Amino acid sequence: MPKKKKLEPSLTEFRIHFRLSDCVGLSVKYFMALDLEQAFSMFDYVCRKNNLDTEITKLYHWNRWLSRWEQYDLSEFSLAYAEKDYSFGFSIDDQALLV
């Protein structure tokens, strides 16, 4: 009897829109991660490595079944991730919630 293949967890594509503290415009980063927390960890690594002062303004994940980007509500994450030691904050309706 042939062995069954072990299924690996699927990756999700995340799109993070963010503002640098000394810039007017927005920037975008894309990450492939298992979950949102892993994407945040990768974004945090980039911010710390490059000594960037950033605020996330929008956050999306790619829904591969519907072939579209779906936006997260940042107000849900800003409080849930407040206790984490991330080097970035969240900006909700131009009111910065620093993490």
Side-chain angles (χ1 to χ4, degrees):
M1 184 185 269
K3 283 188 172 182
K4 290 186 178 181
K5 257 188 166 179
K6 186 177 180 182
L7 293 178
E8 294 185 22
S10 61
L11 295 174
T12 302
E13 186 173 6
F14 294 93
R15 183 173 78 185
I16 299 176
H17 292 235
F18 63 97
R19 178 181 297 118
L20 295 169
S21 62
D22 56 349
C23 293
V24 175
L26 296 177
S27 299
V28 179
K29 281 267 188 217
Y30 295 86
F31 296 98
M32 293 294 292
L34 295 173
D35 55 25
L36 185 58
E37 188 163 344
Q38 188 179 47
F40 278 159
S41 294
M42 288 187 232
F43 184 67
D44 183 54
Y45 173 77
V46 170
C47 293
R48 288 180 193 273
K49 178 182 172 194
N50 297 310
N51 199 24
L52 301 174
D53 184 21
T54 60
E55 292 178 342
I56 294 177
T57 58
K58 292 183 182 175
L59 178 62
Y60 300 89
H61 76 275
W62 180 252
N63 184 327
R64 64 183 178 161
W65 307 113
L66 298 176
S67 297
R68 68 176 184 208
W69 289 104
E70 295 182 350
Q71 186 171 358
Y72 288 100
D73 181 9
L74 284 184
S75 62
E76 294 175 16
F77 297 106
S78 59
L79 298 176
Y81 288 90
E83 66 257 4
K84 306 236 184 233
D85 189 28
Y86 290 133
S87 62
F88 56 85
F90 295 88
S91 179
I92 302 168
D93 298 327
D94 293 330
Q95 291 182 341
L97 294 177
L98 298 179
V99 178

